[in-house]
Amino acid sequence: MDTIRCRRCGQQAPPLPRPPFRNDLGERILREICGTCWAQWLQHQTLLINHYGLDPRDPQAREFLYRQIEEVLFGGGPGEEIDTSRRGTIRH
Ligand SMILES: [Zn+2]
């Protein structure tokens, strides 16, 4: 399979070279999300990590980011609102 149809932007595009995570979500991203959309997500993720002071090694922080990926890349949602003027806390 040389290209995928990206679920987020609808473009026919090459997939990522490898899954970004070693789990089901990583495989789904590989099959359904193009490199451009993934790069946009990574920028958004950096904002989230900075805003919430997340440690990506922390399982709870990873859960939060996975949920955001579901929402932003697969759900077409806007994702967590980021008020960059203050530091946020994760809503549960
Ligand atoms: Zn895309």
Side-chain angles (χ1 to χ4, degrees):
M1 186 169 62
D2 295 322
T3 62
I4 54 150
R5 179 172 291 280
C6 175
R7 178 151 166 160
R8 182 167 181 266
C9 66
Q11 298 295 311
Q12 201 80 29
L16 297 175
R18 65 186 69 84
F21 311 114
R22 291 184 190 183
N23 58 20
D24 287 351
L25 185 60
E27 291 294 326
R28 245 177 109 195
I29 290 164
L30 186 70
R31 285 196 310 268
E32 300 183 24
I33 298 296
C34 75
T36 305
C37 289
W38 181 248
Q40 285 170 4
W41 160 254
L42 288 179
Q43 283 183 2
H44 184 65
Q45 178 180 259
T46 302
L47 287 178
L48 288 172
I49 287 172
N50 291 337
H51 181 61
Y52 291 104
L54 300 178
D55 178 355
R57 289 165 303 181
D58 172 18
Q60 211 175 37
R62 279 208 301 270
E63 271 302 307
F64 173 76
L65 291 172
Y66 290 163
R67 281 204 308 274
Q68 286 294 303
I69 288 171
E70 288 277 349
E71 192 176 318
V72 174
L73 290 181
F74 294 107
E80 193 76 8
E81 282 292 322
I82 298 179
D83 178 355
T84 49
S85 65
R86 62 189 177 85
R87 184 172 159 154
T89 50
I90 297 176
R91 288 196 302 264
H92 290 285

